[in-house]
Amino acid sequence: MRVNNVTQSTPKRSLRRGRIFPELTSTPEERARRKAEDEIFYRRCRAIFERVRPDLISEHYGWYIAVEPNSGDYFVDEDKEVASQKAHEKYPNAVHCMFCLNETGATGRI
């Protein structure tokens, strides 16, 4: 007795193309508005960072600073997560910006 080793072909499914959540798609105007708001937020945070950096960099070089721009407060710690946690404890609903106390303020590595 001989058995045929032919596999059954599965029915073809139609391909779904496009976004997974099309209702969440933003318009180019909305993306431009968000980008402009982000830039304004960053500049406000950067101004505070530049103001306090000379005083802090000598004692805390390489540490992290979380800046909350609405109040002008900042939180410094050796650990990035701890600095962020300090900011969230005092301002739980506010967004903050993280910098590193060095020449550029960059927090990561390339």
Side-chain angles (χ1 to χ4, degrees), residues 26-72:
S26 58
T27 64
E29 294 82 15
E30 177 70 16
R31 288 192 298 270
R33 183 188 61 76
R34 286 184 194 164
K35 186 175 180 179
E37 287 174 356
D38 289 347
E39 182 64 27
I40 291 167
F41 175 79
Y42 173 77
R43 287 183 184 179
R44 290 174 55 214
C45 292
R46 186 71 189 206
I48 295 167
F49 171 70
E50 293 296 337
R51 187 182 76 231
V52 300
R53 179 173 59 166
D55 299 333
L56 298 173
I57 199 167
S58 60
E59 258 185 72
H60 304 291
Y61 187 86
W63 286 32
Y64 295 93
I65 179 171
V67 177
E68 199 287 310
N70 295 330
S71 65

Side-chain angles (χ1 to χ4, degrees), residues 7-108:
T7 60
Q8 291 283 336
S9 64
T10 58
K12 292 186 178 185
R13 293 189 303 172
S14 63
L15 295 175
R16 290 189 335 175
R17 298 187 186 267
R19 297 190 52 86
I20 295 174
F21 300 107
E23 66 276 5
L24 300 179
T25 303
S26 58
T27 64
E29 294 82 15
E30 177 70 16
R31 288 192 298 270
R33 183 188 61 76
R34 286 184 194 164
K35 186 175 180 179
E37 287 174 356
D38 289 347
E39 182 64 27
I40 291 167
F41 175 79
Y42 173 77
R43 287 183 184 179
R44 290 174 55 214
C45 292
R46 186 71 189 206
I48 295 167
F49 171 70
E50 293 296 337
R51 187 182 76 231
V52 300
R53 179 173 59 166
D55 299 333
L56 298 173
I57 199 167
S58 60
E59 258 185 72
H60 304 291
Y61 187 86
W63 286 32
Y64 295 93
I65 179 171
V67 177
E68 199 287 310
N70 295 330
S71 65
D73 285 350
Y74 56 91
F75 306 88
V76 179
D77 199 274
E78 199 170 7
D79 184 343
K80 185 184 344 182
E81 296 301 320
V82 174
S84 179
Q85 184 180 10
K86 288 178 182 179
H88 282 297
E89 284 174 3
K90 186 160 184 184
Y91 301 102
N93 298 322
V95 178
H96 64 272
C97 192
M98 186 70 67
F99 297 98
C100 186
L101 287 168
N102 58 25
E103 291 79 13
T104 62
T107 59

